[in-house]
Each structure stands twice: as structure tokens, then as C-alpha cells.
Amino acid sequence: MTTINGLVIDLLQNILSRLPAFPFASADCVSCYWNDVCDRVLSRPKLSSACLSNASLQVAVEGVLNKVLSEPIRPQFAIASTSHLSDLQEITSKLSSKVPVIINHSCGIIGRDAITDEFKEVYYTRWKNGEKGIMLTVGFVPGLKVKSISFPRQIEDPKTFVIDQFVTDIWEFSTSVSGHRSPACIMIFSVVTSCERSMFPRICVGVTKRRIHSFGKEEAKWMTSLVFHRILPNFGGDEFLHVDGVGIKTGDTFRYYCADSNTARSSVSNLLRSFKQRSVNGSDNREVSGGLIFTSHLRHMPLLGRPNADSSAFLENFPGVTFGGTICPEEIGRGYLIAQ
């Protein structure tokens, strides 16, 4: 039989789960009993996101803040993708000073409108008409510790950025915070000067490189990686392959990459469909609580005219799940078809 105490807990949980973020935070501090109930409300990972376009960036910021904080959440991190890199102090002032806030210059935004709740993809050409846009995502994952690390705004010589030292620093920091050398996730954002880059097709060669190296006190060993070089327009004929960058020599093994929007979308759809099927049939105990998308505006160009072209695969497989993101000048990530 259900006890009175059980009914009280269920009733209190029902009430607290309807509170906006700030009243929920206050309720969290009432007592240990209420804190335990709040923990039950937020026992699973949660994303809260919204986007908005407006002639006034301040109005857009206020709109997305009101939306993402209209439900219970304990913000652990916030990602703001905006059309204009300006002072967004209102976001940091509304959240705790301990919450890392990443502000990303975007070529477009993807998500649900803070006013109409309509899912949309807003491309940067619309912002040329005077509108300003922002996409804000606030995340909470029980037990996760989030830290943001900033680098100099400009690196005069890219060769001075030592990736090995960067990885070592990440390992050392992760170990000091969590006791585990490898973090659960690394997200890297970089600043670009313009969304309007060369519209030449993104055709690349990936050159296989092998070298002996070690991290920290580990024993030195052979490491294999791909170094990507963009193929330049060949104005001198088809006899030679003109490649951007240095480090390629005769005899190097390389793979040839040509960007294809349909292949990219199909691979994402297959991946999400497979993930959904494994979750439904019980072969995979992971559950989708939300999603972030980072898509290239260069791939977005040939898909213009199709509604929600980049996000449709996620919306079809996980309707009702919080999902949003940004249209980037470029993206970095591990490939699905080729794990590089």
C-alpha cells in the first residue's frame, strides 16, 4: 500500500517539477528533505535550449534566457551561439559565476524559437537584413564536472601551438579534478573572422603520417594520424594536384575526400536510427536526453530550400527531445564512415 509519506513525496515532486529554475533553486535550499526531492526531479541529464532572432540582440538574449530558465535545471554549463560577438554579460549575470559560459560566433542557429516553439534553422543571410540571432543551451549532467579553458585570441604562428602539450595539459587537469586522465568529453571552439569564406568545393587529401612520440612518462611508441590538406583550384591545368600546406612529399600515402551533403546526411540518419533501435530493443542501456549539432555552412549551402535540412535526421528519430545547435564556418570531429 502507498503510505502517506509516499503520497507527500510524489505530490511535492510534482509541484517542484513545474517550477522555473530560480524558484526551483530556492526550493532546493529549504531543507535536506526538499533537496532530496529536487534530486529526484533532476536525476537524469537534461538540456534546455532556445533560439531567437530580433532586430535587438538584447531582446533576443532576454527571450532565450527566460525560455531556458522557465523549467527546473541546475546549470553546469552554457553555450551561446550568436550572430554578433558583443557583450553578453546578461547571460553570465543570470547564471552562477561558477557556470562556464562559452560564447561562439555563429553563421546561423538551429533550435526551437523561444516565442513560437517552432523548430527552425536560421541561416546568416537573414542576419544581413538587420536581424540578430542567438541560440542558448544550458546543460545539466549529474556527477559531471565542467571547466572552460581559454587560449590567446590570436596565435601569430600556428606552428607555435603544440598539440602534444595541449593534450598533456588536458590530461593533467582532468586527473587533478576527477582522478581520471581522460575526460568524458572535449569541445573545442575557435574564432573565425568571417562566415563568408571561399565557396570552392571542400576537396581534401588526408596524408598518413607516422612518428615516434610519447606523452608524459609513457614509453615512446609509433603513432599514426591523418594530416588534412585542402586541394586548391587548379588554374594551370589538370597535370598536377595543387595542395594547400607543407609536409607532403613523393611517396606519401593519402586518401581523397570530397564533401557530399547527401552522403553526410545519410550517414547521420543511419547512425541515429541504429542508436534509437538499440535503445528500444534493450541492447543498449544508454538513453538520449538531448542533442547538440555543429554543422558547416559550406555543407548547408546546397541544402538551402529544404526545411530543417541539417536537423531533420535527429527530429525524425528523437521527436520531443531537446535539440539545438549552430551553423559553423568549419567543424572538427571524428568521422562516422571513416573513424578519423
Side-chain angles (χ1 to χ4, degrees):
M1 295 179 62
T2 303
T3 63
I4 292 295
N5 287 337
L7 288 174
V8 171
I9 291 177
D10 291 340
L11 180 60
L12 182 59
Q13 181 175 342
N14 188 293
I15 294 173
L16 295 179
S17 64
R18 301 170 187 266
L19 293 178
F22 286 118
F24 181 82
S26 299
D28 198 9
C29 302
V30 169
S31 66
C32 292
Y33 177 70
W34 280 43
N35 177 263
D36 290 339
V37 178
C38 289
D39 286 341
R40 291 181 57 177
V41 174
L42 291 179
S43 60
R44 299 165 52 212
K46 182 175 183 178
L47 288 182
S48 181
S49 66
C51 67
L52 192 60
S53 297
N54 195 279
S56 168
L57 184 59
Q58 184 177 357
V59 172
V61 170
E62 184 177 349
V64 295
L65 272 171
N66 291 337
K67 182 63 177 179
V68 299
L69 299 178
S70 65
E71 51 191 86
I73 192 166
R74 295 167 175 154
Q76 289 177 317
F77 64 90
I79 302 174
S81 299
T82 175
S83 59
H84 292 72
L85 283 177
S86 57
D87 186 10
L88 299 180
Q89 189 174 358
E90 186 174 356
I91 295 178
T92 55
S93 63
K94 280 288 184 74
L95 304 174
S96 167
S97 59
K98 297 181 180 180
V99 177
V101 178
I102 298 169
I103 300 175
N104 174 43
H105 185 206
S106 176
C107 295
I109 51 180
I110 301 173
R112 294 201 176 275
D113 190 280
I115 306 299
T116 65
D117 203 39
E118 175 189 3
F119 198 94
K120 59 185 182 181
E121 297 179 2
V122 181
Y123 196 56
Y124 74 93
T125 50
R126 180 176 175 182
W127 292 338
K128 288 183 177 180
N129 300 326
E131 280 202 350
K132 301 175 178 64
I134 184 170
M135 172 72 199
L136 178 63
T137 298
V138 173
F140 168 75
V141 181
L144 185 69
K145 296 180 180 179
V146 183
K147 178 72 174 179
S148 63
I149 303 174
S150 62
F151 289 95
R153 287 187 175 272
Q154 183 175 1
I155 299 176
E156 297 295 338
D157 182 3
K159 295 179 181 179
T160 63
F161 181 78
V162 182
I163 186 64
D164 297 339
Q165 185 60 47
F166 168 73
V167 173
T168 302
D169 291 343
I170 293 294
W171 278 354
E172 291 177 352
F173 174 78
S174 179
T175 302
S176 66
V177 172
S178 65
H180 298 279
R181 188 174 68 170
S182 297
C185 174
I186 296 177
M187 302 178 71
I188 301 176
F189 296 83
S190 63
V191 177
V192 294
T193 56
S194 173
C195 291
E196 298 182 72
R197 290 188 170 186
S198 168
M199 287 300 156
F200 291 120
R202 271 327 201 222
I203 306 174
C204 304
V205 294
V207 181
T208 302
K209 294 292 183 180
R210 297 190 75 228
R211 59 182 178 138
I212 296 179
H213 200 78
S214 65
F215 290 114
K217 298 180 180 179
E218 289 187 351
E219 183 180 351
K221 58 183 179 181
W222 281 100
M223 300 178 64
T224 303
S225 62
L226 280 179
V227 179
F228 291 92
H229 299 266
R230 185 162 63 99
I231 298 177
L232 301 175
N234 193 348
F235 299 110
D238 298 328
E239 185 177 354
F240 299 100
L241 195 66
H242 294 263
V243 182
D244 188 18
V246 297
I248 301 178
K249 64 181 184 298
T250 302
D252 277 342
T253 301
F254 68 90
R255 290 172 174 171
Y256 188 74
Y257 295 86
C258 181
D260 179 74
S261 301
N262 292 326
T263 300
R265 186 185 182 282
S266 175
S267 65
V268 172
S269 297
N270 293 336
L271 174 64
L272 292 176
R273 190 178 302 112
S274 173
F275 187 59
K276 179 181 179 181
Q277 290 173 350
R278 293 199 305 269
S279 299
V280 171
N281 62 26
S283 61
D284 194 330
N285 59 6
R286 292 176 294 182
E287 183 179 357
V288 176
S289 300
L292 295 171
I293 180 173
F294 301 90
T295 180
S296 169
H297 84 289
L298 293 173
R299 183 171 61 251
H300 192 89
M301 289 292 288
L303 297 178
L304 287 176
R306 306 183 195 178
N308 300 331
D310 282 313
S311 53
S312 57
F314 190 93
L315 295 174
E316 292 167 1
N317 286 281
F318 301 102
V321 176
T322 301
F323 174 70
T326 180
I327 300 171
C328 316
E330 306 275 359
E331 76 275 83
I332 304 171
R334 190 174 297 280
Y336 170 56
L337 296 178
I338 302 175
Q340 294 284 358

